[in-house]
Amino acid sequence: MTDLPGRVSRRGFLMGSAASAAFATLMNPSFSHAQVELPPLEEYKPVFFDADEWRFIMAACDRLIPAEGEGPGALETRVPVFIDLQMTGSFGDASDWYMAGPHQPDASPLFGWQSPLTPAQIYRKAIPLFQEWCQTTHGKAFEALDAETRDSALTALQKGEVGLAPELRDFFSILLQNTKEGYFADPMYGGNYQLKAWTFIGFPGARGAYTEWVTRHNQTYPLPAVSISGERA
Amino acid sequence: MKSYLRILGALVCLGIIVLLAIIFVPPQLTKPSEQLAADWKPAPGQGEYAMRMADCAACHTAEGGKPFAGGRAIESPMGTIWATNITPDKETGIGNWSLDEFRAALVDGIAPGGEHLYPAMPYENYRNLSETDIRAMYDYFMNEVPAVNNAVEETALSFPFNQRWGIRLWNWVALGSSGFKPETDAIAKDRQLARGAYLVQGPGHCASCHSPRNLIMAEGGTSSQDDGFLSSGVIGGWAAPDLRGANAPAQTWSAADLKAYLTTGRNAHTAVAGEMALAVKDSLQYMTDEDADAMVAYLHHIAKGERLAAPSIPDQSLSAPRQLDQATDATSLKLAKGVGLSEGELLYMDNCAACHLTNGKGAAEVFPAMSDNSLVVADEKAGLIETILYGAEMPSTAKRPEKLKMPGFAERLSDKDVAALASFLRQGWGNTAGAVTEADVKAVRK
């Protein structure tokens, strides 16, 4: 997987969270600490993706973290909303990355991000190409395939067997990474709806004070997860 | 009947004459409390130090304004009073004032021409200023403060408060005698106590906030002979706590802790906020060690009864988890266990425990303790509510420069939340203060 630049800076995270405060209030307009209830995901109006792209994103997320099996799926936790919102921010337009070149898109992945394109541009260009590949190979759009075929299509995409140009080759990496991020990021970014992912793995959230638990072993932590805005699971 | 009318007429005439006298007969100005040689000169820095102790900048320097150029608004129940320009500018400041005129403003509240100053200028306390401090300050303002031409907005209170002659009546009733005299022999005989008494009653004007106001808004007590003196007052809705009760924090703290609070804005138990933070930042941190010790010795000397011991603080040499394990009171144990918490307790865990900890003791000189904290349990709830909504910041002082800050929670907590949380604080860890209502919070939220 490509090591994405600018992803580990705490400062960047904090600034990002400040910038997202607007979204946070949008998501959580009341002060309530009870779980936020939002209209169903189907009614969400994407701010970046068009209708075709959105159908793909929903279907792809649904396979990367499926609903069946353990824990909530990507759709239940509104991961596609997270990805959509990220596209319009500094991640989507790579505004805080070094993007001035020289670019060597076919260099070894060990050299990090080499594409001249921003993540949002990669999503935009790669989705139709991948859909074309699905049509040619499987006779249907990705979202119309059955679950098993979707998985094999995504595997082909991951393995670089779809024939994307070098500057688009990171498409699967960022899609998978953004899906995981949307699952585990604070709900203020649109995903991890009702802190379901945190609750699933037993992460207590942004309470930030567990000092008395340091010396207690093999005891269940009793308090519900809490988000940065104060929402509780 | 006729004679009755005649008496009434005579009384009215007398009243009018007295009134005219109040308005037109110039008031007597207080003479210097001590005769200094005509060529007396303050030592270098003496005037600035006297100014620091009296904290003239607190009111006469506007936020972001030039030093002493005035323009700070002082809200009073009667309206806004504007602190004046006291730089030596001849047109808009006090550049033309003589020493006698300067002294009259400080100790009598009277400006040249006999105009009475509003007691927002604390001449009630500055009456105690020594002649050397007054002269040193006069020298400082005339020669060291840069003149700034800044015409300050004219104070215009509504009728009847715009009738400044009325202040003369108030002065008659409210003002004690001028010039500082230690209130007891014991204090007079002890140089340190006498110095401490002077600093507290005179320049420090502690009573202007920490003494209650009586019916006519005069300070209820000017020395420790009065029961009301420093027995708690109210400023801007905040409590200026009791400093003398046997179990008042100012008395239960050790001398070292009280000194640390006054000169660095923090100690093992708490940290300063609100108006007191400004007093520490602009004035008290500049105290010499000797003066700080004197102030502390005097404050402890005037305790009402035997001073009680402060609640214990966790042994700071232990690791944080071990410190928390030491707690044995019901609140700490319940929070640490985390089961069956009330909404207020849960809000504390979600928002506050990271810094103030489940034992409510925080960390010495960093995070104030919530137990036995005057601000938390005060009858005036505005200070607590304001701190939760808008946070607080310690002043940067020479000895402890870090401006440690408490974040505000106005964005994160509703009025209902703050009420539940504050009510919990006021009843947790052995605190026994009354609950806070949503309406209380609503009144403070801007």
Side-chain angles (χ1 to χ4, degrees):
Chain A
M1 172 164 300
T2 312
D3 183 18
L4 302 178
R7 296 258 84 192
V8 286
S9 146
R10 260 169 185 269
R11 182 188 279 261
F13 166 72
L14 290 173
M15 290 192 311
S17 61
S20 308
F23 273 124
T25 38
L26 201 135
M27 299 281 149
N28 185 3
S30 74
F31 281 113
S32 168
H33 303 285
Q35 284 178 357
V36 177
E37 281 293 342
L38 293 174
L41 181 58
E42 292 69 43
E43 288 171 24
Y44 175 78
K45 300 252 176 313
V47 291
F48 174 78
F49 294 116
D50 65 24
D52 290 339
E53 291 165 342
W54 185 242
R55 272 192 296 277
F56 168 76
I57 293 287
M58 295 271 280
C61 288
D62 189 31
R63 289 320 303 158
L64 292 174
I65 307 180
E68 68 267 22
E70 274 185 83
L75 298 187
E76 198 183 339
T77 49
R78 299 174 75 95
V79 167
V81 175
F82 170 87
I83 301 180
D84 182 49
L85 294 177
Q86 286 303 306
M87 291 303 105
T88 60
S90 63
F91 170 73
D93 63 14
S95 57
D96 55 4
W97 294 2
Y98 176 80
M99 291 294 285
H103 299 280
Q104 187 73 46
D106 57 356
S108 153
L110 295 175
F111 285 88
W113 192 265
Q114 287 291 333
S115 174
L117 302 177
T118 66
Q121 288 168 330
I122 289 185
Y123 273 93
R124 185 130 283 162
K125 285 193 182 215
I127 292 174
L129 291 174
F130 181 55
Q131 287 286 30
E132 232 174 272
W133 181 89
C134 288
Q135 277 292 351
T136 338
T137 316
H138 298 293
K140 281 183 190 159
F142 178 80
E143 62 272 16
L145 300 172
D146 62 44
E148 215 173 305
T149 320
R150 280 197 230 170
D151 287 356
S152 72
L154 286 173
T155 308
L157 180 65
Q158 179 174 29
K159 289 191 173 152
E161 294 164 4
V162 171
L164 293 182
E167 65 262 30
L168 296 177
R169 75 174 178 203
D170 289 327
F171 175 49
F172 182 82
S173 298
I174 54 175
L175 174 62
L176 177 61
Q177 170 151 343
N178 295 161
T179 303
K180 292 182 197 167
E181 287 167 346
Y183 196 65
F184 287 124
D186 187 273
M188 70 155 70
Y189 299 104
N192 191 8
Y193 182 49
Q194 295 182 335
L195 302 95
K196 284 179 184 171
W198 286 358
T199 305
F200 167 52
I201 60 165
F203 177 60
R207 191 168 286 113
Y210 310 101
T211 326
E212 44 282 285
W213 292 87
V214 173
T215 51
R216 289 192 219 164
H217 305 285
N218 300 319
Q219 288 183 38
T220 313
Y221 181 77
L223 298 181
V226 63
S227 77
I228 289 177
S229 72
E231 177 190 356
R232 282 189 210 118
Chain B
M1 186 67 198
K2 233 187 188 157
S3 62
Y4 172 71
L5 275 183
R6 215 177 289 141
I7 294 171
L8 195 67
L11 279 178
V12 168
C13 284
L14 193 68
I16 289 172
I17 291 166
V18 168
L19 200 61
L20 291 175
I22 290 171
I23 299 174
F24 293 111
V25 176
Q28 284 283 309
L29 296 185
T30 301
K31 301 241 154 35
S33 58
E34 183 190 352
Q35 287 304 328
L36 297 180
D39 61 352
W40 183 88
K41 273 260 155 238
Q46 190 180 354
E48 183 176 357
Y49 185 74
M51 175 283 293
R52 286 287 187 201
M53 291 307 99
D55 202 4
C56 314
C59 301
H60 286 282
T61 303
E63 199 114 21
K66 296 246 169 64
F68 307 110
R72 183 183 278 270
I74 300 188
E75 302 304 336
S76 82
M78 297 96 65
T80 303
I81 300 175
W82 296 92
T84 47
N85 179 344
I86 55 169
T87 70
D89 182 60
K90 291 206 186 301
E91 192 192 347
T92 59
I94 59 170
N96 291 322
W97 290 33
S98 67
L99 170 64
D100 287 340
E101 288 167 334
F102 183 74
R103 183 189 308 105
L106 289 178
V107 305
D108 294 317
I110 292 171
E115 187 189 61
H116 286 272
L117 298 176
Y118 289 110
M121 162 79 187
Y123 56 88
E124 238 183 312
N125 310 89
Y126 291 160
R127 286 177 82 63
N128 289 316
L129 284 174
S130 69
E131 180 64 10
T132 47
D133 275 355
I134 291 171
R135 284 210 29 193
M137 276 196 275
Y138 181 72
D139 185 79
Y140 171 74
F141 278 105
M142 292 304 155
N143 302 318
E144 289 179 50
V145 172
V148 179
N149 191 289
N150 177 37
V152 168
E153 185 152 347
E154 194 85 32
T155 297
L157 304 186
S158 53
F159 186 83
F161 302 112
N162 57 355
Q163 302 298 303
R164 283 178 181 259
W165 56 264
I167 301 171
R168 188 168 186 190
L169 289 176
W170 185 84
N171 287 348
W172 280 346
V173 191
L175 288 192
S177 59
S178 70
F180 170 72
K181 281 169 219 74
E183 60 265 41
T184 64
D185 278 351
I187 295 172
K189 279 196 202 118
D190 183 316
R191 276 186 53 157
Q192 189 186 43
L193 289 181
R195 175 67 182 163
Y198 171 72
L199 288 169
V200 167
Q201 293 170 30
H205 62 283
C206 316
S208 71
C209 294
H210 285 277
S211 290
R213 300 267 160 179
N214 61 21
L215 282 179
I216 55 158
M217 296 301 288
E219 283 164 21
T222 48
S223 87
S224 65
Q225 295 305 94
D226 305 311
D227 204 46
F229 180 61
L230 304 183
S231 71
S232 91
V234 182
I235 170 142
W238 287 50
D242 174 20
L243 300 181
R244 293 176 62 201
N247 60 357
Q251 295 300 342
T252 62
W253 297 337
S254 67
D257 273 333
L258 180 53
K259 182 175 170 182
Y261 181 89
L262 296 172
T263 56
T264 70
R266 63 207 81 184
N267 66 19
H269 306 273
T270 195
V272 68
E275 286 285 340
M276 189 64 197
L278 298 178
V280 169
K281 172 170 144 287
D282 295 330
S283 170
L284 299 172
Q285 68 152 312
Y286 295 96
M287 275 193 289
T288 59
D289 259 349
E290 212 184 346
D291 275 353
D293 289 335
M295 185 177 280
V296 167
Y298 172 71
L299 288 172
H300 279 174
H301 178 78
I302 60 170
K304 291 178 181 163
E306 191 79 30
R307 291 170 46 215
L308 300 176
S312 69
I313 43 170
D315 178 353
Q316 304 281 322
S317 68
L318 295 177
S319 68
R322 298 282 169 223
Q323 285 183 28
L324 293 180
D325 284 349
Q326 282 187 324
T328 53
D329 66 285
T331 307
S332 304
L333 292 176
K334 186 173 181 201
L335 292 180
K337 199 155 172 236
V339 178
L341 301 187
S342 70
E343 182 62 16
E345 289 164 339
L346 205 46
L347 286 166
Y348 182 80
M349 290 304 288
D350 287 355
N351 298 282
C352 325
C355 295
H356 296 287
L357 304 189
T358 46
N359 64 4
K361 300 269 188 200
E365 305 196 355
V366 180
F367 302 125
M370 296 292 102
S371 49
D372 304 286
N373 181 311
S374 307
L375 180 87
V376 173
V377 299
D379 286 344
E380 296 74 21
K381 302 165 190 162
L384 173 60
I385 296 170
E386 218 175 298
T387 305
I388 296 176
L389 287 177
Y390 305 109
E393 186 178 271
M394 295 181 206
S396 179
T397 58
K399 284 194 199 110
R400 296 299 308 274
E402 314 85 2
K403 294 189 193 176
L404 299 180
K405 191 170 171 162
M406 144 119 179
F409 288 82
E411 313 297 324
R412 201 175 149 148
L413 300 178
S414 67
D415 292 353
K416 195 165 159 227
D417 294 336
V418 175
L421 174 59
S423 299
F424 158 66
L425 296 180
R426 288 163 69 82
Q427 282 148 22
W429 303 284
N431 290 339
T432 54
V436 169
T437 65
E438 254 183 276
D440 292 334
V441 183
K442 197 164 181 235
V444 174
R445 195 186 280 270
K446 290 167 210 150

